[in-house]
Amino acid sequence: MTLHDPELVIRPALATDVRRIRALVKSYVDARAIVPKPAVAYYEGVQEFLLVERGDRLVGCGALHVMWEDVAEVRTLAVDPMEKGQGIGSTLLTELLQRARTLAVKRVFCLTFEVGFFARHGFSEIEGEPVAADVYAEMLQSYDEGVAEFLDLDRVKPNTLGNHRMLLTL
């Protein structure tokens, strides 16, 4: 699949891409715009990632992580700062949302500082528990930090301070 620019190609990530993904998101992690994760978390979730490349250069990435029967999270959506404003982030998000539809996911969550970007794609800010009490109790058993962010647990708040919890219903 290609983007508007014929030099740009979007494709699923491979395990051999993890080092490049981590290099791309490093500046976002350093700025606390993306929650830091150990390398092993990237390898464990590599199948969730889509990449955008210009030739052999990685210029964008994003992942879709299913959290429950009807909820998934857009994670680690990042664009090379030199490539911003060219539609790479929007294209990645559109493809990730299509993946969610294919998986029959009805709601997509994100934790972000980029409220305007996600709002332009139909996301709205949420407060409180976004799932029923029985599902909340089941999700509490997850070791995944993204699930903890979704549930707005106190233990993750120091790492997510200032981020906005947003949700899109497909």
Side-chain angles (χ1 to χ4, degrees), residues 5 8 10-11 30 45 48 63 70 85 90 93 105 122 132-133 151 159:
D5 182 335
L8 294 174
I10 189 168
R11 66 169 178 84
D30 291 347
E48 300 173 349
D70 65 339
S90 289
L93 182 57
V105 170
L151 298 176
N159 293 329

Side-chain angles (χ1 to χ4, degrees), residues 10-13 48-52 60-63 92 95-96 99:
I10 189 168
R11 66 169 178 84
E48 300 173 349
F49 275 87
L50 291 177
L51 305 182
V52 177
C61 69
L92 275 166
E95 290 298 318
L96 294 170
R99 275 187 168 189

Side-chain angles (χ1 to χ4, degrees), residues 23-95:
L24 176 66
V25 303
K26 184 179 182 333
S27 65
Y28 292 95
V29 171
D30 291 347
R32 297 180 54 97
I34 289 181
V35 177
K37 293 185 280 193
V40 69
Y42 284 93
Y43 285 106
E44 289 173 342
V46 72
Q47 71 280 357
E48 300 173 349
F49 275 87
L50 291 177
L51 305 182
V52 177
E53 294 175 311
R54 181 184 302 282
D56 62 352
R57 204 170 117 247
L58 180 62
V59 297
C61 69
L64 181 76
H65 178 79
V66 175
M67 296 190 296
W68 196 254
E69 178 181 17
D70 65 339
V71 182
E73 178 184 12
V74 170
R75 294 182 171 180
T76 320
L77 186 62
V79 174
D80 181 322
M82 301 298 291
E83 301 281 347
K84 281 192 167 183
Q86 297 184 40
I88 293 169
S90 289
T91 299
L92 275 166
L93 182 57
T94 298
E95 290 298 318

Side-chain angles (χ1 to χ4, degrees), residues 109-122:
F109 167 76
C110 70
L111 183 72
T112 186
F113 288 108
E114 300 294 335
V115 173
F117 172 80
F118 283 96
R120 283 192 299 278
H121 290 88

